[in-house]
Amino acid sequence: RTDSTAVPKLAGSSLGGLISLYGAWTRPSAFSGCAVLSPALYWDDQYVTTTIANTMGDKAPLRIYLDVGDQEAYAALTVTLRDVLLSKGWVLAEDLLYVVGPGHGHNATAWALRIPGALAFLLNDPARVAP
C-alpha cells in the first residue's frame, strides 16, 4: 500500500512520548506521524523542544498528536511545545492535534483514555479505532 496509513508511526507516553517525537522529528522520511502522550519535555533542559524550535528549513510532513493531563506538573511545557509547532507551520486539527485531559494525571490510566483519539488522528480514520 502506498497510502499514509501504511507508513510507520511512533507512539509513546512520558519519556516514550519524548522519544517518539524526537524519532519522528529527526527521521520524517521514515515516519509519517507520532502520538506524544504526556511527554517528559523537562528532560535534558528541554532538549527536544529546543531542537524543534531551532530547526531550520521546510516543515516536515508529520501528523503530530500531542496531549497532556491538566493535573500534570509539567503541563506548561507541553503548551510551549504546541506553540513552537504552531510557529513552525503545523495547523491545529489538521496536522497537529493538541488535547488536554480533564482531571488526568501523569499515569497509564489517563493515557489509556486518550490513546484511541491519538490513533484515530494518526491513522486519519476514526472508524479503524475501537472506542
Side-chain angles (χ1 to χ4, degrees):
R1 294 179 54 185
T2 59
D3 63 61
S4 66
T5 61
V7 178
K9 289 125 180 90
L10 293 170
S13 57
S14 194
L15 189 54
L18 190 67
I19 291 166
S20 296
L21 175 61
Y22 187 75
W25 187 265
T26 58
R27 301 292 185 269
S29 62
F31 302 102
S32 64
C34 57
V36 184
L37 291 84
S38 300
L41 293 166
Y42 58 84
W43 182 81
D44 197 18
D45 287 331
Q46 301 178 53
Y47 175 81
V48 172
T49 301
T50 301
T51 297
I52 291 170
N54 293 332
T55 299
M56 304 300 287
D58 295 333
K59 176 184 149 196
L62 294 173
R63 288 178 68 81
I64 300 172
Y65 170 91
L66 175 64
D67 78 13
V68 68
D70 66 0
Q71 300 301 305
E72 294 190 45
Y74 296 103
L77 297 179
T78 308
V79 173
T80 299
L81 174 60
R82 179 204 62 197
D83 292 347
V84 166
L85 290 167
L86 292 172
S87 76
K88 295 288 184 181
W90 270 261
V91 177
L92 285 174
E94 186 176 304
D95 53 8
L96 172 63
L97 185 59
Y98 176 70
V99 173
V100 177
H104 293 190
H106 191 84
N107 57 63
T109 300
W111 302 326
L113 294 171
R114 299 193 306 259
I115 194 67
L119 296 175
F121 177 74
L122 282 184
L123 295 173
N124 201 19
D125 186 0
R128 290 182 61 191
V129 180

PDB file of all heavy atoms in Angstrom, residues 95-113:
ATOM      1  N   ASP A  95      -2.869  18.911  11.020  1.00  0.00           N
ATOM      2  CA  ASP A  95      -1.714  18.012  11.147  1.00  0.00           C
ATOM      3  C   ASP A  95      -1.132  18.032  12.558  1.00  0.00           C
ATOM      4  O   ASP A  95      -0.138  17.383  12.840  1.00  0.00           O
ATOM      5  CB  ASP A  95      -0.638  18.300  10.109  1.00  0.00           C
ATOM      6  CG  ASP A  95      -0.178  19.744  10.064  1.00  0.00           C
ATOM      7  OD1 ASP A  95      -0.576  20.533  10.933  1.00  0.00           O
ATOM      8  OD2 ASP A  95       0.580  20.078   9.148  1.00  0.00           O
ATOM      9  N   LEU A  96      -1.796  18.757  13.445  1.00  0.00           N
ATOM     10  CA  LEU A  96      -1.443  18.778  14.872  1.00  0.00           C
ATOM     11  C   LEU A  96      -2.735  18.717  15.675  1.00  0.00           C
ATOM     12  O   LEU A  96      -3.628  19.550  15.487  1.00  0.00           O
ATOM     13  CB  LEU A  96      -0.683  20.054  15.234  1.00  0.00           C
ATOM     14  CG  LEU A  96      -0.424  20.294  16.722  1.00  0.00           C
ATOM     15  CD1 LEU A  96       0.476  19.202  17.310  1.00  0.00           C
ATOM     16  CD2 LEU A  96       0.189  21.662  16.952  1.00  0.00           C
ATOM     17  N   LEU A  97      -2.832  17.712  16.525  1.00  0.00           N
ATOM     18  CA  LEU A  97      -3.964  17.653  17.437  1.00  0.00           C
ATOM     19  C   LEU A  97      -3.417  17.777  18.847  1.00  0.00           C
ATOM     20  O   LEU A  97      -2.563  16.987  19.259  1.00  0.00           O
ATOM     21  CB  LEU A  97      -4.736  16.336  17.275  1.00  0.00           C
ATOM     22  CG  LEU A  97      -6.019  16.228  18.098  1.00  0.00           C
ATOM     23  CD1 LEU A  97      -7.000  17.351  17.728  1.00  0.00           C
ATOM     24  CD2 LEU A  97      -6.671  14.876  17.898  1.00  0.00           C
ATOM     25  N   TYR A  98      -3.885  18.796  19.551  1.00  0.00           N
ATOM     26  CA  TYR A  98      -3.461  19.053  20.923  1.00  0.00           C
ATOM     27  C   TYR A  98      -4.651  18.808  21.840  1.00  0.00           C
ATOM     28  O   TYR A  98      -5.714  19.402  21.663  1.00  0.00           O
ATOM     29  CB  TYR A  98      -2.966  20.491  21.057  1.00  0.00           C
ATOM     30  CG  TYR A  98      -2.594  20.861  22.472  1.00  0.00           C
ATOM     31  CD1 TYR A  98      -1.467  20.316  23.072  1.00  0.00           C
ATOM     32  CD2 TYR A  98      -3.383  21.739  23.205  1.00  0.00           C
ATOM     33  CE1 TYR A  98      -1.126  20.644  24.378  1.00  0.00           C
ATOM     34  CE2 TYR A  98      -3.042  22.083  24.505  1.00  0.00           C
ATOM     35  CZ  TYR A  98      -1.922  21.520  25.078  1.00  0.00           C
ATOM     36  OH  TYR A  98      -1.580  21.846  26.367  1.00  0.00           O
ATOM     37  N   VAL A  99      -4.457  17.925  22.812  1.00  0.00           N
ATOM     38  CA  VAL A  99      -5.545  17.524  23.706  1.00  0.00           C
ATOM     39  C   VAL A  99      -5.094  17.698  25.156  1.00  0.00           C
ATOM     40  O   VAL A  99      -3.976  17.312  25.512  1.00  0.00           O
ATOM     41  CB  VAL A  99      -5.937  16.044  23.451  1.00  0.00           C
ATOM     42  CG1 VAL A  99      -6.936  15.559  24.473  1.00  0.00           C
ATOM     43  CG2 VAL A  99      -6.466  15.879  22.032  1.00  0.00           C
ATOM     44  N   VAL A 100      -5.972  18.251  25.977  1.00  0.00           N
ATOM     45  CA  VAL A 100      -5.748  18.340  27.410  1.00  0.00           C
ATOM     46  C   VAL A 100      -6.770  17.429  28.082  1.00  0.00           C
ATOM     47  O   VAL A 100      -7.976  17.610  27.910  1.00  0.00           O
ATOM     48  CB  VAL A 100      -5.893  19.792  27.926  1.00  0.00           C
ATOM     49  CG1 VAL A 100      -5.732  19.841  29.434  1.00  0.00           C
ATOM     50  CG2 VAL A 100      -4.886  20.698  27.243  1.00  0.00           C
ATOM     51  N   GLY A 101      -6.283  16.444  28.815  1.00  0.00           N
ATOM     52  CA  GLY A 101      -7.163  15.512  29.508  1.00  0.00           C
ATOM     53  C   GLY A 101      -7.669  16.105  30.810  1.00  0.00           C
ATOM     54  O   GLY A 101      -6.872  16.353  31.718  1.00  0.00           O
ATOM     55  N   PRO A 102      -8.979  16.318  30.935  1.00  0.00           N
ATOM     56  CA  PRO A 102      -9.525  16.920  32.151  1.00  0.00           C
ATOM     57  C   PRO A 102      -9.437  15.971  33.344  1.00  0.00           C
ATOM     58  O   PRO A 102      -9.896  14.836  33.283  1.00  0.00           O
ATOM     59  CB  PRO A 102     -10.983  17.213  31.774  1.00  0.00           C
ATOM     60  CG  PRO A 102     -11.296  16.226  30.698  1.00  0.00           C
ATOM     61  CD  PRO A 102     -10.012  15.997  29.959  1.00  0.00           C
ATOM     62  N   GLY A 103      -8.802  16.443  34.410  1.00  0.00           N
ATOM     63  CA  GLY A 103      -8.645  15.638  35.606  1.00  0.00           C
ATOM     64  C   GLY A 103      -7.609  14.540  35.476  1.00  0.00           C
ATOM     65  O   GLY A 103      -7.473  13.704  36.356  1.00  0.00           O
ATOM     66  N   HIS A 104      -6.861  14.547  34.376  1.00  0.00           N
ATOM     67  CA  HIS A 104      -5.884  13.489  34.112  1.00  0.00           C
ATOM     68  C   HIS A 104      -4.522  13.832  34.695  1.00  0.00           C
ATOM     69  O   HIS A 104      -4.030  14.946  34.542  1.00  0.00           O
ATOM     70  CB  HIS A 104      -5.714  13.270  32.610  1.00  0.00           C
ATOM     71  CG  HIS A 104      -6.926  12.720  31.943  1.00  0.00           C
ATOM     72  ND1 HIS A 104      -6.899  12.267  30.649  1.00  0.00           N
ATOM     73  CD2 HIS A 104      -8.212  12.529  32.364  1.00  0.00           C
ATOM     74  CE1 HIS A 104      -8.096  11.832  30.309  1.00  0.00           C
ATOM     75  NE2 HIS A 104      -8.914  11.996  31.336  1.00  0.00           N
ATOM     76  N   GLY A 105      -3.909  12.823  35.311  1.00  0.00           N
ATOM     77  CA  GLY A 105      -2.548  12.938  35.805  1.00  0.00           C
ATOM     78  C   GLY A 105      -1.584  12.268  34.846  1.00  0.00           C
ATOM     79  O   GLY A 105      -1.940  11.896  33.720  1.00  0.00           O
ATOM     80  N   HIS A 106      -0.370  12.104  35.303  1.00  0.00           N
ATOM     81  CA  HIS A 106       0.700  11.502  34.509  1.00  0.00           C
ATOM     82  C   HIS A 106       0.750  10.005  34.829  1.00  0.00           C
ATOM     83  O   HIS A 106       1.569   9.545  35.628  1.00  0.00           O
ATOM     84  CB  HIS A 106       2.031  12.186  34.854  1.00  0.00           C
ATOM     85  CG  HIS A 106       3.149  11.857  33.936  1.00  0.00           C
ATOM     86  ND1 HIS A 106       3.342  12.509  32.745  1.00  0.00           N
ATOM     87  CD2 HIS A 106       4.151  10.955  34.033  1.00  0.00           C
ATOM     88  CE1 HIS A 106       4.414  12.031  32.154  1.00  0.00           C
ATOM     89  NE2 HIS A 106       4.928  11.069  32.924  1.00  0.00           N
ATOM     90  N   ASN A 107      -0.160   9.245  34.203  1.00  0.00           N
ATOM     91  CA  ASN A 107      -0.253   7.820  34.517  1.00  0.00           C
ATOM     92  C   ASN A 107      -0.906   7.039  33.378  1.00  0.00           C
ATOM     93  O   ASN A 107      -1.550   7.611  32.497  1.00  0.00           O
ATOM     94  CB  ASN A 107      -1.022   7.609  35.823  1.00  0.00           C
ATOM     95  CG  ASN A 107      -2.406   8.202  35.783  1.00  0.00           C
ATOM     96  OD1 ASN A 107      -3.241   7.789  34.989  1.00  0.00           O
ATOM     97  ND2 ASN A 107      -2.657   9.196  36.639  1.00  0.00           N
ATOM     98  N   ALA A 108      -0.730   5.732  33.430  1.00  0.00           N
ATOM     99  CA  ALA A 108      -1.205   4.852  32.358  1.00  0.00           C
ATOM    100  C   ALA A 108      -2.728   4.849  32.226  1.00  0.00           C
ATOM    101  O   ALA A 108      -3.254   4.682  31.119  1.00  0.00           O
ATOM    102  CB  ALA A 108      -0.689   3.432  32.579  1.00  0.00           C
ATOM    103  N   THR A 109      -3.438   5.045  33.318  1.00  0.00           N
ATOM    104  CA  THR A 109      -4.899   5.095  33.246  1.00  0.00           C
ATOM    105  C   THR A 109      -5.354   6.268  32.378  1.00  0.00           C
ATOM    106  O   THR A 109      -6.233   6.127  31.523  1.00  0.00           O
ATOM    107  CB  THR A 109      -5.501   5.207  34.662  1.00  0.00           C
ATOM    108  OG1 THR A 109      -5.097   4.063  35.419  1.00  0.00           O
ATOM    109  CG2 THR A 109      -7.014   5.275  34.610  1.00  0.00           C
ATOM    110  N   ALA A 110      -4.732   7.421  32.560  1.00  0.00           N
ATOM    111  CA  ALA A 110      -5.068   8.604  31.764  1.00  0.00           C
ATOM    112  C   ALA A 110      -4.684   8.403  30.306  1.00  0.00           C
ATOM    113  O   ALA A 110      -5.437   8.760  29.394  1.00  0.00           O
ATOM    114  CB  ALA A 110      -4.375   9.841  32.337  1.00  0.00           C
ATOM    115  N   TRP A 111      -3.520   7.811  30.059  1.00  0.00           N
ATOM    116  CA  TRP A 111      -3.080   7.591  28.677  1.00  0.00           C
ATOM    117  C   TRP A 111      -4.011   6.623  27.965  1.00  0.00           C
ATOM    118  O   TRP A 111      -4.294   6.790  26.783  1.00  0.00           O
ATOM    119  CB  TRP A 111      -1.637   7.089  28.654  1.00  0.00           C
ATOM    120  CG  TRP A 111      -0.684   8.037  29.317  1.00  0.00           C
ATOM    121  CD1 TRP A 111      -0.768   9.414  29.328  1.00  0.00           C
ATOM    122  CD2 TRP A 111       0.463   7.706  30.081  1.00  0.00           C
ATOM    123  NE1 TRP A 111       0.265   9.941  30.060  1.00  0.00           N
ATOM    124  CE2 TRP A 111       1.050   8.926  30.527  1.00  0.00           C
ATOM    125  CE3 TRP A 111       1.076   6.517  30.437  1.00  0.00           C
ATOM    126  CZ2 TRP A 111       2.201   8.959  31.304  1.00  0.00           C
ATOM    127  CZ3 TRP A 111       2.228   6.554  31.211  1.00  0.00           C
ATOM    128  CH2 TRP A 111       2.775   7.765  31.635  1.00  0.00           C
ATOM    129  N   ALA A 112      -4.499   5.616  28.673  1.00  0.00           N
ATOM    130  CA  ALA A 112      -5.425   4.650  28.072  1.00  0.00           C
ATOM    131  C   ALA A 112      -6.720   5.335  27.629  1.00  0.00           C
ATOM    132  O   ALA A 112      -7.311   4.946  26.612  1.00  0.00           O
ATOM    133  CB  ALA A 112      -5.729   3.523  29.056  1.00  0.00           C
ATOM    134  N   LEU A 113      -7.140   6.352  28.344  1.00  0.00           N
ATOM    135  CA  LEU A 113      -8.340   7.092  27.963  1.00  0.00           C
ATOM    136  C   LEU A 113      -8.123   7.930  26.706  1.00  0.00           C
ATOM    137  O   LEU A 113      -9.052   8.147  25.928  1.00  0.00           O
ATOM    138  CB  LEU A 113      -8.789   8.008  29.110  1.00  0.00           C
ATOM    139  CG  LEU A 113      -9.277   7.305  30.379  1.00  0.00           C
ATOM    140  CD1 LEU A 113      -9.484   8.325  31.498  1.00  0.00           C
ATOM    141  CD2 LEU A 113     -10.563   6.536  30.095  1.00  0.00           C
TER     142      LEU A 113
END
